[in-house]
Amino acid sequence: MSESTNASETTRYGRRSAVEGTVYRALIRPLLYLLPAEAAHHLTFTFLRWFAAIPGVGPWLRRMLLVDTERSRVRALGLEFPNPIGLAAGFDKDAIGYEALGSLGFGFVEVGTLTGQPQSGNPKPRLFRLPRDRALINRMGFNNHGSADAVRRLRRPHRTIVGVNIGRTKAVPESEAIADYVSSAKRVGPFADYVVVNVSSPNTPGLRDLQATEKLRPLLAAVHEALNEVSPTRRVPLLVKIAPDLADEDVDAVADLALEFGLDGVIATNTTVRRDGLQSNASEVARCGAGGLSGPPVEHRALEVLKRLHDRAGDRLVLISVGGIETADQAWARIQAGATLVQVYTAFVYEGPFLPKRLATGVAELASAAGFQG
Ligand SMILES: Cc1cc2nc3c(=O)[nH]c(=O)nc-3n(C[C@H](O)[C@H](O)[C@H](O)COP(=O)(O)O)c2cc1C
């Protein structure tokens, strides 16, 4: 059946209603493209928060868009996730809109990266679209108001499962990096459903060096201890987020370390500093400059890293897979390769507000089909 005669169409992104497809792709996205990428982000995020704050609208959106059924739910990290599709860190850096984002149907939202001290990040422009690759390049540099500010919102009761991603303040010398993570962990720990130590952003000089085991070891030990101290009655799940650019042996080493420290899991992966295999022309890519590349170009490596982690740790670690996921088939492939949960960021920017529901519905269908076959 043709698109025009059908109320819904089946695309590589899964099934979507004609209204969703037409309104977002033909109307809203082209208008947003008139704005610089970061301004478009602020505009859409502000609109969403405003819209969801209208009395009755947030719960209505949640009823319409959140897939939360027996077959969609996932038990992990001592929590029950309504579905396995999460929003990756970096979209809601300051924990200002996680309830509104949850009402769009995300099974969980990871806020941050939050740093020990507030910082403005890198000079603008620092976020770029590569539409031909459906990719983004960013060098935001952890712009955020700091973990102390975010806690004022995180301490409120919330319906959405919220992970809190913490990183290092740029101005802090390397010798105080651990203390900086610990200060954030102590603040956010009591209110986070899980905490992520981010050592994988390419935009804070020296940050990714913390992935080397000799540096990661004392960092993880200190954050682990800090969380036990501030939350003696509830164990706060602790995960580490890694880069796709790690060598295979280093991926293994992180898995070993995570097991050694009794960490709950690993999030793989962050953005890549590589630029190979892009469809966009070289000058367009060069104009963006330095930064982390996300979206489909990182898909292959994100899956490889996931498989490597799963081979090494089996089911002893909760693996959250992120990087280039756009379709329910891809999300399901990650789950089959060992992920318990998945996250998206770039596809949400390109595909719009109905993506979480589409992915969660598709994955639940694929899971039940696999169950019937098995
Ligand atoms: C604009 C932007 C900002 C990001 N900021 C963060 C961040 O603050 N902390 C973090 O751990 N990851 C950050 N990320 C990485 C994403 O969480 C994710 O790991 C990565 O984009 C790969 O997923 P995707 O291909 O679905 O976008 C950011 C990504 C983008 C595009």
Side-chain angles (χ1 to χ4, degrees):
M1 269 188 283
S2 79
E3 211 175 295
S4 56
T5 56
N6 211 348
S8 72
E9 58 175 318
T10 300
T11 69
R12 62 187 296 273
Y13 300 100
R15 213 174 310 121
R16 65 173 147 202
S17 77
V19 176
E20 284 172 36
T22 312
V23 172
Y24 190 77
R25 271 179 309 165
L27 215 64
I28 298 175
R29 199 168 63 183
L31 284 177
L32 290 173
Y33 274 18
L34 298 175
L35 295 172
E38 190 172 345
H41 168 79
H42 285 300
L43 183 72
T44 48
F45 194 21
T46 305
F47 174 77
L48 170 66
R49 283 182 287 131
W50 167 81
F51 186 57
I54 297 172
V57 170
W60 171 72
L61 283 174
R62 199 175 280 269
R63 273 197 309 279
M64 301 274 291
L65 298 176
L66 180 68
V67 178
D68 180 8
T69 62
E70 197 54 51
R71 62 180 188 171
S72 72
R73 280 179 210 132
V74 175
R75 276 187 197 81
L77 304 172
L79 302 160
E80 187 170 71
F81 294 76
N83 67 65
I85 312 297
L87 179 61
F91 193 95
D92 184 5
K93 288 195 187 263
D94 282 307
I96 54 176
Y98 49 85
E99 287 290 52
L101 289 161
S103 70
L104 292 184
F106 284 110
F108 62 110
V109 173
E110 191 171 307
V111 300
T113 295
L114 292 165
T115 52
Q117 296 171 25
Q119 58 182 25
S120 53
N122 289 321
K124 293 178 188 172
R126 52 193 180 178
L127 176 60
F128 307 87
R129 306 176 183 101
L130 293 177
R132 238 178 291 178
D133 290 289
R134 296 187 308 284
L136 296 171
I137 290 180
N138 91 84
R139 52 169 170 280
M140 306 299 286
F142 291 166
N143 53 307
N144 77 110
H145 292 108
S147 48
D149 177 75
V151 159
R152 295 192 291 132
R153 292 172 291 282
L154 289 167
R155 57 176 5 126
R156 297 181 199 143
H158 41 89
R159 297 183 64 176
T160 306
I161 293 181
V162 181
V164 183
N165 179 308
I166 58 174
R168 173 193 149 185
T169 307
K170 187 179 175 186
V172 154
E174 204 193 315
S175 57
E176 288 165 31
I178 292 182
D180 192 64
Y181 277 93
V182 164
S183 68
S184 292
K186 284 189 172 168
R187 287 175 188 141
V188 304
F191 312 105
D193 288 311
Y194 67 83
V195 167
V196 184
V197 169
N198 181 11
V199 282
S200 48
S201 167
N203 302 314
T204 296
L207 188 94
R208 294 180 312 153
D209 298 343
L210 292 170
Q211 291 173 119
T213 41
E214 70 278 12
K215 292 196 175 163
L216 195 53
R217 191 180 285 276
L219 172 61
L220 293 179
V223 172
H224 210 201
E225 198 186 306
L227 291 176
N228 288 339
E229 205 181 298
V230 291
S231 183
T233 48
R234 178 183 68 102
R235 218 179 67 77
V236 186
L238 177 61
L239 297 90
V240 62
K241 181 166 178 179
I242 62 172
D245 305 324
L246 281 181
D248 286 344
E249 313 76 68
D250 295 329
V251 173
D252 293 346
V254 170
D256 292 348
L257 207 58
L259 290 169
E260 183 189 324
F261 278 101
L263 250 58
D264 296 82
V266 179
I267 303 189
T269 66
N270 212 309
T271 55
T272 179
V273 294
R274 299 179 68 127
R275 296 289 187 265
D276 37 305
L278 293 175
Q279 307 294 313
S280 311
N281 60 47
S283 63
E284 200 185 341
V285 178
R287 228 175 307 134
C288 302
L293 173 69
S294 58
V298 84
E299 193 216 346
H300 177 73
R301 181 62 185 158
L303 179 59
E304 254 179 20
V305 172
L306 167 68
K307 287 181 175 163
R308 186 109 199 162
L309 289 167
H310 192 249
D311 283 349
R312 194 77 175 181
D315 294 328
R316 290 173 293 166
L317 291 172
V318 170
L319 302 177
I320 303 185
S321 187
V322 48
I325 297 173
E326 296 188 304
T327 68
D329 284 335
Q330 289 169 331
W332 177 239
R334 301 291 172 99
I335 291 168
Q336 284 185 306
T340 302
L341 301 162
V342 301
Q343 293 176 327
V344 294
Y345 187 143
T346 304
F348 182 50
V349 172
Y350 279 92
E351 285 298 303
F354 299 102
L355 181 75
K357 178 171 186 177
R358 212 151 62 222
L359 294 182
T361 307
V363 167
E365 282 171 6
L366 288 161
S368 78
F372 286 131
Q373 276 159 25

